[in-house]
Amino acid sequence: MRIATWNVNSIRARVVRTVDFAVREGIDVLAMQEIKCKPEQFPYEAFEEAGYTVEAHGLNQWNGVAIASREPIEELQVGFAGMPGFAKGHDGPGAPLEARALGAKIGGVEVWSLYVPNGRGLDDPHYRYKLDWLEALRGYTADTLAADPDRALALTGDFNIAPTDADNGDPTVVEGVTTHVSPPERAAFQALLDAGLADTVRPLVPTGYTYWDYKQLRFPRNEGLRIDFILGSHAFADAVTAAAIHRDERKGEIPSDHVPVVVDLDLEGPDDDDRPMIW
DNA sequence: ATGTCGGTGGTTCACCGA
């Protein structure tokens, strides 16, 4: 099974490009972020014509997550247990939830499409929201794996954190000045790993960015960030056989500012056809 | 130069968010 995650930055603006990529690369499950539309506005037809079914979660023109799959989508989860909400002037308990998390069981894997809050600025209420949101995600992960340690669980999406200095090539992203690289954000990312997840792409693709700001020639200068990840429990990570970051998707006409990240899974072991015949 | 995007409201440009 081939699983991909992609912050598409408006699915309506990029539906042709998105479906073309999925078909060309043989993607079985595509987790999308920043679809920037409500479910009734999602361009389902283009995906259905290509053999995908889609579940979309969007509340307004901001955020929004979706999962497209060639296999049946089961056990849909809109948001995760404990996920906090946020709204301007209303960031405490009881704040409205945003469309940032969609989970499902597909082919025996619990896969999530996640769009972690940006944080905006180190002194912005959105930054505290980001850290609280990540802590709640860690709690969900820990609880889930405590109940079922061998579950194939994958957290995919835009984490809006560059975990190491090697993941930050943008000269305007500076520790102590901006979000994405602050010690508390990096600690929150590490806490997800400590809860029982592994970065399934880094061992196979050690370098490279997944996002380049549209401004100031960031892509031509290759001044990007690695902020999009596929994190997996041991049962998931152990099944990963290949990975790729599709840098070329940042090129061409009207690209997203993010590129797809892909892993191949072999959950069932070798097919019968691959086993030696012994009489 | 916050130098580029996408979406919205409500009219084609100002604002928000990233």
Side-chain angles (χ1 to χ4, degrees), chain A residues 11-232:
Chain A
I11 191 59
R12 288 177 292 175
R14 265 175 273 288
V15 58
V16 172
R17 184 173 189 136
T18 303
V19 173
D20 283 354
F21 170 81
V23 170
R24 185 172 69 252
E25 293 296 327
I27 305 298
D28 296 302
V29 179
L30 176 61
M32 290 167 273
Q33 300 87 38
E34 275 207 272
I35 62 172
K36 286 186 168 176
C37 67
K38 301 173 186 177
E40 60 266 33
Q41 298 172 308
F42 193 98
Y44 294 102
E45 298 77 11
F47 283 87
E48 289 166 356
E49 287 168 8
Y52 293 90
T53 58
V54 176
E55 294 288 348
H57 172 42
L59 298 170
N60 49 43
Q61 71 270 43
W62 307 121
N63 316 310
V65 284
I67 299 174
S69 176
R70 292 164 143 173
E71 298 182 33
I73 299 176
E74 300 170 321
E75 298 180 34
L76 201 67
Q77 297 190 70
V78 177
F80 52 85
M83 188 182 81
F86 183 86
K88 209 171 240 178
H90 190 177
D91 59 340
L97 300 181
E98 298 187 304
R100 296 183 176 276
L102 186 66
K105 195 75 159 286
I106 303 172
V109 177
E110 180 180 331
V111 56
W112 284 87
S113 180
L114 301 173
Y115 180 41
V116 176
N118 173 284
R120 297 180 185 167
L122 297 178
D123 57 356
D124 193 297
H126 210 257
Y127 178 73
R128 173 43 55 188
Y129 169 50
K130 179 179 193 175
L131 296 177
D132 290 345
W133 200 95
L134 286 161
E135 168 56 20
L137 181 62
R138 184 209 60 78
Y140 172 79
T141 301
D143 290 349
T144 298
L145 293 179
D148 185 5
D150 295 326
R151 179 175 306 203
L153 172 67
L155 303 190
T156 88
D158 176 0
F159 286 74
N160 270 319
I161 299 169
T164 76
D165 288 344
D167 304 320
N168 177 18
D170 185 327
T172 68
V173 177
V174 179
E175 184 183 326
V177 179
T178 60
T179 61
H180 293 61
V181 292
S182 71
E185 290 168 280
R186 287 176 166 174
F189 187 88
Q190 181 60 46
L192 285 173
L193 304 184
D194 294 342
L197 300 175
D199 181 339
T200 63
V201 175
R202 191 177 296 274
L204 296 162
V205 187
T207 63
Y209 306 128
T210 64
Y211 159 87
W212 297 259
D213 198 309
Y214 288 122
K215 293 178 284 192
Q216 298 171 283
L217 300 172
R218 287 288 176 248
F219 184 63
R221 296 173 188 271
N222 194 29
E223 295 173 340
L225 301 171
R226 187 194 281 227
I227 56 177
D228 301 271
F229 298 96
I230 298 176
L231 307 184

